[in-house]
Amino acid sequence: AADALATNAPSESRVAASRDEPRVATSPFQAARLMRAFDVFPDSSAEVTLWTRLNVDLTRESVRGICHLPHGLQSQIRVLAFCADDEIEEMLAAGADFAGISEPVRRINQGWLGFDRCLATPSIMPSVMKISKVLGPRKMMPNPKSGTVVQNLRTAIKEAKGGTLLEYRAEGQGELRAKIGDASFSDAKVLENMKFLVQALLRARPRASAGAATSGDTAGTRKPPGTALIPGAKDEVKDQYFLEAHIQFGDKGPPVRVDPESLLPSSVGYFR
């Protein structure tokens, strides 16, 4: 690329050269600092997002679940609690924005979707199934795997409103995106949430996925952060669960690539 610029080569040559350059990633600690460096115009509503691509075949197994982050995000989530009509006042007092079964089902059938998360108990699910064709395509149907079908509805409401509950789900080619912080978070809180989510993903990984037979944590210090990720090095990544990763602050901030191996919980990349 430097030779092309020096010789005033056509723009097509410069683009082709840049595509051949190895992509460089860094540690989570350094990535968090770089992410902050691009926060030129502070936005109080901006959120920190972790994106990663997992080495998993989603046509055979799924990667989906919930975890409770150490540090909750500032959230304005609207919770609908499906419950018996005689428990409406109790659920509203617990923090739900909407509650009941008869009226919510009627309104949803008429097109109302003024909520962000649905919670239900197993006993009320037969009534909720009447609107599965409405909630299902929108991925809002209560489901035990997503932690939205629970035994203790009051506790689930408080957790959902507290901002610590995170639901994750891999889609497409194993891509997973999760919000792990907001503008009020320090770098330390962002890193703690990131490490906690990575631990949850490792515990929930399918048995047939890469690296499932081994602990995977021992790879955290094999390659120093900043090492070039050479495309085509299949032997190095065939047993690697996290193939790619980056963090991003808000919609306008650039994605900052993170070395997948330094994501592992035992990596020193969370400290330097």
Side-chain angles (χ1 to χ4, degrees), residues 50-219:
L50 171 67
W51 174 93
T52 184
R53 185 166 64 88
L54 306 175
N55 192 0
V56 61
D57 184 3
L58 294 180
T59 62
R60 297 188 300 171
E61 297 181 285
S62 65
V63 177
R64 181 181 181 182
I66 60 170
C67 65
H68 294 278
L69 297 175
H71 307 285
L73 281 66
Q74 296 178 356
S75 175
Q76 301 296 327
I77 187 172
R78 299 166 296 177
V79 176
L80 167 59
F82 287 113
C83 62
D85 290 335
D86 59 357
E87 298 177 348
I88 292 178
E89 294 300 325
E90 182 181 355
M91 297 307 157
L92 292 177
D97 297 279
F98 312 97
I101 187 63
S102 302
E103 184 65 11
V105 168
R106 183 188 67 81
R107 294 180 63 186
I108 291 171
N109 276 324
Q110 293 178 349
W112 174 68
L113 293 169
F115 48 88
D116 304 303
R117 189 177 183 85
C118 301
L119 299 172
T121 58
S123 60
I124 205 72
M125 281 304 295
S127 299
V128 180
M129 291 300 296
K130 298 176 182 178
I131 50 176
S132 60
K133 292 184 179 180
V134 180
L135 299 180
R138 294 171 175 80
K139 299 178 182 179
M140 301 179 72
M141 187 69 182
N143 188 300
K145 291 184 178 180
S146 63
T148 49
V149 176
V150 296
Q151 295 292 342
N152 192 326
L153 203 53
R154 290 186 296 275
T155 300
I157 292 171
K158 293 178 181 179
E159 291 175 346
K161 299 292 285 187
T164 61
L165 183 65
L166 172 66
E167 180 181 354
Y168 57 84
R169 181 173 183 170
E171 299 178 328
Q173 300 297 317
E175 299 178 4
L176 185 147
R177 185 181 300 272
K179 297 176 182 177
I180 58 172
D182 55 43
S184 66
F185 275 35
S186 63
D187 288 354
K189 288 185 177 181
V190 170
L191 292 172
E192 286 181 22
N193 277 359
M194 183 190 303
K195 185 175 181 178
F196 192 88
L197 174 58
V198 168
Q199 290 174 327
L201 292 174
L202 288 172
R203 287 193 298 265
R205 61 184 167 186
R207 293 184 178 182
S209 65
T214 61
S215 63
D217 288 357
T218 57

